[in-house]
Amino acid sequence: MTEETKTGGKNVVIAMDGSEYSKFAFKSPYSYDPEVLEVILKKEKDRVTQELQQFSQLLIEYGVPGTVKSVHTSNPGEGIVKIAAELDAAIIVTGNRGLGKIQRAFSGSTSDYILNHSDVPVLNCRL
C-alpha cells in the first residue's frame, strides 16, 4: 500500500506495509523535506554516474568496443534482458554469487532471472 503527498510540486510516495520500518519512514523528516530529498537524489545520481564512468573505463582498459547503458527497472535481470533485446545481443555474460538453491528461492537471483527470461544464450560465470 502506498500513500502519496504533494511536496513542492513533486509527488512523494511513501511505501506502507504496516511494519515498524514503514512507520519509521512515514514519520521521518526526510519524507517531507524537499531540500533533503533533492540532496539525496543528487548524491544517488552522482553515485550512478561515477559507476557508469568506471564501467566505461573497464571497456577502455580491456580494449573492448562498446557502450555502457543504464536502464531503470525494479528488477535488474529484467533490465538486462530488455537491453539485450534492444541491442540485438548475441549473448549475455553475467556473474553469479553462487547462492544455494534455498537462498535463491527466497531472495531471487538476477542471473537466474536472466537464464529463464533471455531469448539469447547466457554465459553465467560463477564467482
Side-chain angles (χ1 to χ4, degrees), residues 81-126:
V81 169
K82 179 181 175 183
I83 289 292
E86 286 177 12
L87 296 175
D88 195 26
I91 189 169
I92 297 173
V93 180
T94 184
N96 182 331
R97 290 186 295 169
L99 296 177
K101 289 180 183 177
I102 294 174
Q103 283 180 302
R104 279 195 315 266
F106 286 108
S107 65
S109 165
T110 299
S111 56
D112 277 348
Y113 183 95
I114 295 168
L115 283 167
N116 290 308
H117 293 88
S118 174
D119 292 332
V120 300
V122 176
L123 175 60
N124 196 349
C125 304
R126 190 169 186 170

Side-chain angles (χ1 to χ4, degrees), residues 30-57:
Y30 301 115
S31 300
Y32 300 104
D33 187 342
E35 292 170 3
V36 172
L37 284 174
E38 190 173 323
V39 169
I40 291 170
L41 290 174
K42 183 181 180 334
K43 284 182 182 178
E44 182 63 12
K45 180 181 177 186
D46 291 346
R47 183 192 66 78
V48 169
T49 300
Q50 185 178 23
E51 281 186 0
L52 293 174
Q53 290 170 344
Q54 290 172 350
F55 295 145
S56 292
Q57 189 60 39

Side-chain angles (χ1 to χ4, degrees), residues 71 73-81 110 113-114:
V71 63
T73 65
S74 59
N75 176 330
E78 182 181 310
I80 293 166
V81 169
T110 299
Y113 183 95
I114 295 168

